[in-house]
Amino acid sequence: MIAKAFEKFNYITVTICVLLLLGISIYYSTLEIKWSFFESQILNTLVIFSSFLLISYSIDTVTRQLTIERSGRNAYHLIIYPLVILSYPVESVDLRFIISSALIFSAWRNFRIFLETNRDDRRIKRLLDIALLLSLSVLLILENIGLFIFLGVILFTTNIKKDARHLVLLIVTPLIFIPAAYILLETFSLGSFTFSSFLIGDDFSFLSKPVFSIAQAPFAVLCFYYLIAVIAKTSRTAGLQRRVLDMAGVLFFFAPFIIISLLEDSSGSEYHYFSLILVYFIAQIFSKKINSSIVNFIFISIIASIVIFNFLV
């Protein structure tokens, strides 16, 4: 079953993942488009599919290549990611969040590579890529600017060699790039697509208390496995840097969750901010040899919740 099919990373598992992401992208394009650069269904499908592929690539790097030891590597993350997307209670499509999450996770991928490399020239290149990717995400959602502070804190709490150039890059790059990009977009009358904000203006409104629905049941199942994975991983993680990164993953899950749970008119697209975090931690459950029956049970329970609460109820 699933345990056997995704035991190894190969062309077949990659193809299955890509086809699933393509199918989900086509499905998303048939929903109400709440926010997009385009009116064309084909262009929206391409943007969504490209974002999904970029996120999947980031997940693969962070989850399989950088974290899991070679002896424990598998391809379960390739099936977990499409299931994670299907678990989201998406009612309409807001491309701000899908594109923004792709940019953020790509920046996180570069940050993890930055921490692993020892060459100064490669570190500078990775940090520049990080700063540009996060700057682009800020153009979409203003509050993403807080991620620069988030990465800066991680940078100076990990046990890597401190370099003033790293801090300068993280500060100066967005200060130059964001205004320049905004002026360019204004020139082409695209300024209205920039700087959506949760706290400023009337782009979003909030409830006084969170409201949960039955449509969130599949996501709740994933959260259950996520919490189990967090407890298991943090209990066996050694080294300050790994612990800091794991705690950052926990913080990045709960901080957006509080905001999203209070949104009055949520499209469901906001849940894409959880994709890498959920896949990364849940995949850690399978990084050690466990009984295939347990693996199949986990996947069947996730799939069953999706089918029952998204398509039958």
Side-chain angles (χ1 to χ4, degrees):
M1 292 178 70
I2 296 174
K4 186 67 175 178
F6 287 86
E7 193 173 20
K8 299 294 182 182
F9 184 89
N10 51 45
Y11 289 113
I12 295 176
T13 54
V14 171
T15 301
I16 293 173
C17 176
V18 170
L19 290 176
L20 286 172
L21 294 178
L22 177 60
I24 297 170
S25 302
I26 295 172
Y27 167 68
Y28 268 30
S29 69
T30 64
L31 299 176
E32 176 192 354
I33 304 297
K34 189 174 182 179
W35 189 99
S36 176
F37 294 106
F38 313 106
E39 295 183 1
S40 168
Q41 182 177 353
I42 294 176
L43 289 177
N44 285 326
T45 302
L46 289 175
V47 172
I48 295 168
F49 183 51
S50 300
S51 299
F52 286 168
L53 289 180
L54 184 58
I55 294 173
S56 182
Y57 180 57
S58 301
I59 288 172
D60 180 67
T61 302
V62 173
T63 302
R64 182 177 65 92
Q65 298 181 33
L66 296 180
T67 305
I68 299 177
E69 296 178 1
R70 186 174 296 276
S71 59
R73 290 178 183 175
N74 50 58
Y76 292 131
H77 61 286
L78 294 179
I79 187 64
I80 295 173
Y81 178 46
L83 293 178
V84 164
I85 298 175
L86 289 172
S87 75
Y88 296 151
V90 176
E91 298 179 354
S92 58
V93 175
D94 191 326
L95 284 178
R96 286 174 295 189
F97 297 103
I98 296 176
I99 298 172
S100 182
S101 61
L103 294 169
I104 292 170
F105 296 148
S106 184
W108 183 251
R109 170 186 174 272
N110 279 281
F111 186 71
R112 291 299 304 269
I113 296 174
F114 162 83
L115 294 176
E116 296 291 330
T117 187
N118 293 318
R119 288 181 51 178
D120 286 340
D121 58 331
R122 291 184 179 179
R123 282 189 167 180
I124 294 297
K125 179 182 179 300
R126 291 295 175 182
L127 267 186
L128 180 60
D129 290 342
I130 292 166
L132 291 174
L133 288 165
L134 289 183
S135 296
L136 287 171
S137 75
V138 172
L139 285 171
L140 292 171
I141 305 291
L142 182 61
E143 281 75 16
N144 287 337
I145 199 167
L147 293 172
F148 283 100
I149 301 173
F150 187 68
L151 289 185
V153 172
I154 297 174
L155 187 64
F156 285 94
T157 52
T158 52
N159 54 354
I160 65 169
K161 181 182 177 182
K162 305 301 185 290
D163 190 329
R165 293 177 298 173
H166 299 164
L167 185 60
V168 170
L169 264 178
L170 284 178
I171 295 175
V172 173
T173 303
L175 290 177
I176 295 175
F177 180 81
I178 293 175
Y182 177 73
I183 292 171
L184 180 63
L185 291 171
E186 272 291 322
T187 303
F188 293 97
S189 301
L190 296 174
S192 59
F193 289 100
T194 60
F195 301 127
S196 297
S197 175
F198 290 105
L199 304 176
I200 302 173
D202 55 358
D203 293 305
F204 305 98
S205 55
F206 292 91
L207 301 166
S208 57
K209 61 180 180 178
V211 176
F212 300 102
S213 67
I214 195 170
Q216 294 170 303
F219 181 69
V221 173
L222 282 176
C223 290
F224 172 73
Y225 288 124
Y226 164 78
L227 292 174
I228 292 176
V230 167
I231 295 170
K233 189 174 190 310
T234 53
S235 64
R236 66 171 185 251
T237 297
L240 174 63
Q241 182 168 298
R242 283 290 176 89
R243 287 184 177 275
V244 169
L245 293 173
D246 286 346
M247 288 301 101
V250 174
L251 178 62
F252 190 81
F253 178 86
F254 284 102
F257 181 80
I258 293 171
I259 296 174
I260 292 171
S261 64
L262 291 172
L263 281 179
E264 183 175 2
D265 187 24
S266 172
S267 71
S269 300
E270 303 89 352
Y271 284 78
H272 285 275
Y273 270 67
F274 304 124
S275 295
L276 186 144
I277 305 300
L278 286 172
V279 177
Y280 169 77
F281 276 100
I282 294 175
Q284 304 304 313
I285 298 175
F286 313 117
S287 63
K288 303 295 182 181
K289 291 292 183 180
I290 61 174
N291 191 290
S292 61
S293 298
I294 298 176
V295 176
N296 288 325
F297 173 79
I298 292 173
F299 280 109
I300 289 172
S301 63
I302 295 172
I303 294 170
S305 67
I306 293 170
V307 172
I308 293 171
F309 294 102
N310 286 1
F311 299 101
L312 297 181
V313 177

